Amino acid sequence: MKYIFKNQLWALVLLIFAFSCNDNGGEKPLGKYDTGILIMNEGNFGTNDGEVYHYDPSTETLTKDIFELENSRPFAGLVEDMVLEQDRLYLVANTGKVEIVNPGDFKSIGAVSADLDQPRSLATASGKLFISDYGPYDASYATPDSYIAVVSGLDGGTVKKKIEVSNKPEDLFAFGKYVFVAGSEESQIEIIDAEKEEVVKSLEVTGRPVQFFEQNGDLWVYSYDSDHVYFQSFHRDNLTKKEFRELPVGQATGRIALGEDSKIYIVTSSGWPEYQDGVAVVSIFDTTLIPDWTSGSGFYGIGYDQMRQEVYLSNANDFQGAGTVTVFGKDGTEVKSMEVGRGPSGFMFR
């Protein structure tokens, strides 16, 4: 499961300006989903009832199932990630497809619906889509045939090539002609040349890498193991490792959110059968470490609203019906709680 915050910083501009420029230099009103918060509800395995909700904090209005509402058909999949790039919103379903919508009105633009197995995330580079995919399970439920699927064009279509990578690729990050791949199972960062469509470099990192983010102009990857969390930055000019941070956060998960003042909120969990969950707060630039910012059980996703400085923490409620999202002030005080879809796991703040 990917955890959504990569678009937070530039999206703040949309909250400040009421209009945006079109290609002809004119101005057009923002669409009804161009502001507010998108809540990604993963859905339940087997019923494939994943969907996206929209929440307007200014009016406290929650709109359900906006993909089905705007396209007159259900999403019909498990939503793994939401990626906003190139004026398109990509809804990645780990049930084997990618739906592409206009982010302003959520109308369908296109899709990738064949030759995928278990997609995890997506990035765009050189006018192409690069989709991380676990590949099929073998008889032992391992994924030895993981790959990055390449699609020509940004509006979907067919998979033209599958680039072999290490097992269980998660997040992707593109800049220039390069695509960074977080290979979670084998602790690898693989770098793809988008023009050549091949891996040109592989870097070993500590822990299980799952999420890229930018901080102070640098590219970082977050990884974790049972006792620590790790942050590794990279030189973009020569594709080498740069700085490394290790912090003593036990029972960390891959679910993180980028807060203000370089703080990072991390969901922790003891796992089955106790399910003692919490949120730790760390910083990669000083010694800040708050191991028990809040605690509970059933935590499933986390996000941070940079504009309002609020933490959104979701609870899957054991996938028994609707999930819950609780909003906290950055001091940990509860602001409000709302019922959402099944398995809420990610947020996009616009």
Side-chain angles (χ1 to χ4, degrees), residues 32-33 37-42 48-55 62-79 81-82 88-93 95 97-113:
K32 57 184 173 180
Y33 304 122
I37 299 164
L38 298 178
I39 301 171
M40 185 177 78
N41 303 290
E42 179 181 321
N48 292 351
D49 54 351
E51 251 291 359
V52 180
Y53 284 20
H54 177 263
Y55 177 62
L62 182 68
T63 305
K64 302 179 180 180
D65 301 338
I66 61 176
F67 181 90
E68 182 172 6
L69 176 67
E70 302 297 344
N71 295 286
S72 301
R73 61 183 173 90
F75 181 78
L78 300 179
V79 193
D81 198 6
M82 298 186 294
R88 298 160 176 86
L89 181 60
Y90 297 92
L91 305 176
V92 182
T95 38
K97 68 173 181 175
V98 175
E99 295 275 5
I100 308 166
V101 300
N102 183 314
D105 59 17
F106 247 70
K107 301 294 186 183
S108 177
I109 295 173
V112 183
S113 57

Side-chain angles (χ1 to χ4, degrees), residues 260-277:
E260 87 295 339
D261 300 328
S262 302
K263 291 184 174 63
I264 298 172
Y265 295 76
I266 304 172
V267 174
T268 63
S269 179
S270 63
W272 188 87
E274 296 89 358
Y275 286 115
Q276 298 297 314
D277 300 338

Side-chain angles (χ1 to χ4, degrees), residues 161-176:
K161 183 175 183 179
K162 294 181 178 180
I163 304 170
E164 182 180 348
V165 293
S166 59
N167 291 350
K168 292 184 171 55
E170 293 286 355
D171 195 24
L172 303 175
F173 185 92
F175 72 95

Side-chain angles (χ1 to χ4, degrees), residues 110-171:
V112 183
S113 57
D115 296 322
L116 295 174
D117 293 284
Q118 302 181 75
R120 305 296 290 178
S121 191
L122 177 150
T124 64
S126 300
K128 308 169 190 176
L129 304 181
F130 291 82
I131 305 167
S132 57
D133 198 305
Y134 278 8
Y137 286 120
D138 63 14
S140 303
Y141 292 99
T143 57
D145 299 316
S146 296
Y147 59 86
I148 305 299
V150 184
V151 177
S152 296
L154 302 179
D155 294 330
T158 59
V159 175
K160 62 172 290 192
K161 183 175 183 179
K162 294 181 178 180
I163 304 170
E164 182 180 348
V165 293
S166 59
N167 291 350
K168 292 184 171 55
E170 293 286 355
D171 195 24

